[in-house]
Amino acid sequence: MKVVIVGGVAGGATAAARIRRLDEQAEIVVFERSGYISYANCGLPYYIGDVITERSALTLQTPESFFNRFRVTMKIRHEVMAIHPERKTVSVKNLETGDEFEESYDKLLLSPGAKPTQPRLPGVGLDKVFTLRTVEDTFRIKEFIQANQPKSAVLAGGGFIGLELAENLRELGMEVTIVQRPKQLMNPFDPDMASFIHNEMRKHGVKLALGHTVEGFEERNGGVDVLLKDEQPLHADLVVLAIGVTPDTGLAKEAGLELGIKGSILVNDRMETTVPDIYAVGDAVQVKHFVTGQDALISLAGPANKQGRIAADNICGGDSHYTGSQGSSVIKVFDMTAATTGINETNAKKAGFSVDTVILSPMSHAGYYPGGKVMTMKVVFEEETYRLLGAQIVGYEGVDKRIDVLATAIHAGMKATQLKELDLAYAPPYSSAKDPVNMAGFMVENIANGVLKQWHLEDASGLPRDGSVTLLDTRTVGEYSRGHIDGFTNIPVDELRERLGELDKSKPVYVICQSGLRSYIACRILAGNGFDCYNFSGGFRFYDAVMNDRCLIQSATACGMDQ
């Protein structure tokens, strides 16, 4: 059997190695148009920022090392120009010599990946306007920085690459601005959770120009003007386009393979395309979202590696199936870690789910052990069934650990109420006896049993201030004096039992505290005394962070808070 693979990196290189492990006699040829067949894509921004200092550290394998280990022929700087399914060949061009030839195959695997989205804007081709996707892109940006010592950079786009590059350029001492049309960074997160990411970026000096449309680029004064719709241009010495990626599927389209959303390659759960003996994996393929079951494009290294393995199994006569992508991801944002899995509240509602959420602010480990830091968790679940749909966490320690537990729970089909049952490792330096994941489960169970009723951030502006409801802040007098929501009366929770006479039992009570814990205790006190009580999800800390961020983005003056 002869297998031709188009494209290396995550999907193609993984498949090549797996095919060899399953079939020692197979002839395997990989064509890669770049100069690198297996490289650490996610490490590219960190090479630019001198966190990774050796070029060789980016290349996981070379053609020589791959051949020595697996006897796979890796032909770099070779571009497949056309696929001929009718005669089972591909046309290939040697990019160094210009020679063209045909290569036959019994099985063909496409792993072309995705390319940076290139908007059709004036000035995109300027020599100070870059994209970052390949090792070659990285070296170009690095060499430009070393040669020109730029003092400022504008990054168009606030996804993974944009944030990682912003951090690394700041660490090099540059002034950095992120500009994009959406009013939040990192779309896998809900806008409220993205507020914490925004705050961390601002804290480290990154300027955010959110909600602005880029209309082009012009050279001026030795740098580049980033032209914005209805705004003054942003000037910088260096511009990087990081507005997303587009499936690189021109070959597949010309060969007659059926395409899906955004021109991606349609595959079944065996990674087979609509043409016999042709498989496809990675960023170029359309997949099913594991949670929603809907068609999706999810450009992450983990899914690409799994798909490469599955395709290899099936090429070699096996029967492996891809169950879908869940979108689990984590990113370092200066000192902070932000992670997500499944779907967020915004996308859950768009997908037609009736959802609820719990928001909590647990410590990363036992409070009495030194060094613990607060994280913010948002867990999304389906109303009535309590099916776990997704989670987002931002914090400083222990975030990756918790998101992986929640990702596993989602994959296992657990209900959010079952999180309380998980038997998780505990020692004071690492966690609490009631782990944050367990705590989320306790909260959802309280909702399911009618012990906890919530009100949410989106309810805040609509709460009546006419005396028809009671608005109660149960923090200390000092906390209240440093900032509170307009219209809320302060009765510290430890004084509440003695001051119940100040409240009207006929009116619903909407309660808030700093994190949600004291207000929950207050609600239990009130409910036990005949009051109808609702606890704010997330606490004033959460409310304050989100509302301040919104005011900065919208340049609003009336924020609904007394400071």
Side-chain angles (χ1 to χ4, degrees):
M1 178 177 66
K2 181 177 181 181
V3 182
V4 169
I5 299 175
V6 181
V9 199
T14 295
R18 176 68 172 171
I19 292 168
R20 173 57 71 227
R21 290 194 295 271
L22 296 176
D23 186 344
E24 181 63 19
Q25 307 307 318
E27 181 183 354
I28 309 167
V29 181
V30 179
F31 294 110
E32 169 59 51
R33 66 184 165 206
S34 77
Y36 302 87
I37 51 94
S38 182
Y39 57 86
N41 215 318
C42 300
L44 302 183
Y46 298 98
Y47 177 75
I48 292 171
D50 288 336
V51 176
I52 299 170
T53 57
E54 297 295 328
R55 283 193 176 201
S56 59
L58 295 175
T59 54
L60 307 178
Q61 292 275 5
T62 65
E64 295 75 24
S65 67
F66 217 98
F67 184 82
N68 291 338
R69 177 68 55 86
F70 297 109
R71 292 301 187 269
V72 170
T73 302
M74 291 281 186
K75 296 192 175 183
I76 59 173
R77 305 290 298 153
H78 280 68
E79 182 172 8
V80 174
M81 308 301 291
I83 302 167
H84 311 290
E86 69 285 354
R87 58 179 185 269
K88 300 185 82 168
T89 65
V90 294
S91 296
V92 186
K93 182 176 182 178
N94 183 326
L95 298 179
E96 292 181 344
T97 66
D99 294 340
E100 296 189 20
F101 60 92
E102 281 201 4
E103 189 86 18
S104 64
Y105 66 82
D106 296 310
K107 304 286 184 180
L108 177 66
L109 174 63
L110 303 179
S111 179
K115 54 190 176 184
T117 302
Q118 288 272 27
R120 294 180 179 177
L121 297 175
V124 163
L126 294 175
D127 59 7
K128 294 182 177 66
V129 177
F130 298 86
T131 58
L132 178 57
R133 181 69 177 175
T134 66
V135 174
E136 286 91 345
D137 293 336
T138 308
F139 293 159
R140 278 192 290 270
I141 294 173
K142 183 78 168 179
E143 288 162 5
F144 177 86
I145 291 172
Q146 290 173 336
N148 297 279
Q149 299 296 306
K151 298 293 189 294
S152 59
V154 168
L155 311 180
F160 287 96
I161 291 294
L163 265 64
E164 290 169 347
L165 192 54
E167 176 180 346
N168 281 278
L169 295 181
R170 277 299 291 156
E171 297 294 347
L172 293 177
M174 291 187 213
E175 290 185 7
V176 177
T177 302
I178 296 178
V179 59
Q180 64 172 24
R181 184 182 303 165
K183 290 187 177 181
Q184 73 164 85
L185 304 175
M186 296 297 293
N187 281 332
F189 292 80
D190 284 313
D192 50 12
M193 295 297 286
S195 297
F196 293 89
I197 299 173
H198 298 170
N199 293 339
E200 186 73 5
M201 298 296 281
R202 294 189 190 103
K203 174 182 169 184
H204 289 272
V206 176
K207 299 174 184 177
L208 303 181
L210 306 179
H212 297 286
T213 301
V214 176
E215 293 196 320
F217 309 92
E218 288 182 357
E219 284 190 282
R220 188 175 68 85
N221 295 341
V224 180
D225 272 355
V226 181
L227 307 179
L228 304 179
K229 183 178 181 180
D230 300 326
E231 296 287 342
Q232 290 298 310
L234 298 171
H235 185 78
D237 301 325
L238 164 70
V239 173
V240 180
L241 296 178
I243 57 178
V245 293
T246 303
D248 192 357
T249 56
L251 268 179
K253 181 179 181 180
E254 291 172 9
L257 278 65
E258 192 171 340
L259 304 181
I261 54 176
K262 293 185 179 179
S264 57
I265 302 172
L266 274 184
V267 293
N268 60 19
D269 63 359
R270 288 169 47 87
M271 310 314 298
E272 295 169 321
T273 71
T274 52
V275 174
D277 297 321
I278 300 180
Y279 298 73
V281 299
D283 294 354
V285 305
Q286 175 179 296
V287 297
K288 294 292 183 184
H289 195 289
F290 182 81
V291 175
T292 67
Q294 296 177 349
D295 295 333
L297 285 177
I298 299 179
S299 299
L300 294 168
N305 274 279
K306 295 180 185 71
Q307 293 161 16
R309 179 184 174 92
I310 288 166
D313 287 352
N314 294 322
I315 285 170
C316 293
D319 188 27
S320 291
H321 298 263
Y322 188 63
T323 57
S325 295
Q326 198 169 303
S328 301
S329 61
V330 63
I331 185 171
K332 178 181 178 293
V333 185
F334 291 99
D335 300 325
M336 178 181 277
T337 300
T340 181
T341 187
I343 54 174
N344 60 30
E345 181 183 11
T346 305
N347 289 332
K349 289 178 177 177
K350 287 180 180 177
F353 290 97
S354 178
V355 301
D356 199 357
T357 66
V358 291
I359 297 170
L360 58 159
S361 300
M363 295 287 284
S364 56
H365 60 243
Y368 61 84
Y369 187 88
K373 296 182 178 179
V374 173
M375 66 178 73
T376 302
M377 295 177 58
K378 181 174 185 178
V379 177
V380 183
F381 57 94
E382 189 173 22
E383 288 183 325
E384 297 182 359
T385 69
Y386 295 95
R387 177 190 171 199
L388 189 59
L389 300 176
Q392 302 151 65
I393 312 177
V394 291
Y396 297 92
E397 292 178 2
V399 169
D400 53 340
K401 169 182 174 179
R402 273 66 186 218
I403 207 70
D404 282 343
V405 172
L406 289 161
T408 303
I410 291 171
H411 192 82
M414 291 178 62
K415 294 183 177 181
T417 49
Q418 293 177 293
L419 296 176
K420 71 183 192 302
E421 301 168 5
L422 293 175
D423 192 350
L424 304 174
Y426 160 62
Y430 304 106
S431 185
S432 299
K434 292 184 285 190
D435 187 86
V437 174
N438 296 138
M439 290 300 300
F442 295 147
M443 293 171 69
V444 179
E445 181 189 44
N446 283 339
I447 293 171
N449 294 338
V451 174
L452 171 64
K453 293 189 288 185
Q454 297 188 110
W455 63 284
H456 297 279
L457 185 70
E458 59 267 25
D459 303 320
S461 61
L463 288 178
R465 265 68 172 180
D466 60 1
S468 59
V469 301
T470 299
L471 306 178
L472 182 63
D473 189 319
T474 60
R475 295 174 297 155
T476 65
V477 173
E479 288 173 310
Y480 179 84
S481 67
R482 288 190 290 273
H484 59 269
I485 304 176
D486 183 41
F488 274 69
T489 301
N490 181 221
I491 301 179
V493 66
D494 292 339
E495 301 175 15
L496 184 57
R497 288 185 179 90
E498 288 70 36
R499 297 175 63 179
L500 287 174
E502 300 176 26
L503 306 177
D504 186 341
K505 196 173 291 187
S506 68
K507 298 177 182 178
V509 186
Y510 290 82
V511 190
I512 193 170
C513 72
Q514 190 68 9
S515 70
L517 176 58
R518 284 173 287 174
S519 51
Y520 167 64
I521 294 169
C523 272
R524 297 314 304 149
I525 294 170
L526 291 166
N529 285 277
F531 290 83
D532 183 19
C533 188
Y534 298 81
N535 186 30
F536 180 71
S537 179
F540 185 80
R541 170 183 171 271
F542 179 79
Y543 176 90
D544 192 37
V546 177
M547 296 307 292
N548 282 333
D549 176 60
R550 289 181 181 176
C551 288
L552 287 169
I553 293 172
Q554 299 168 4
S555 298
T557 54
C559 307
M561 292 186 292
D562 293 330
Q563 295 289 355

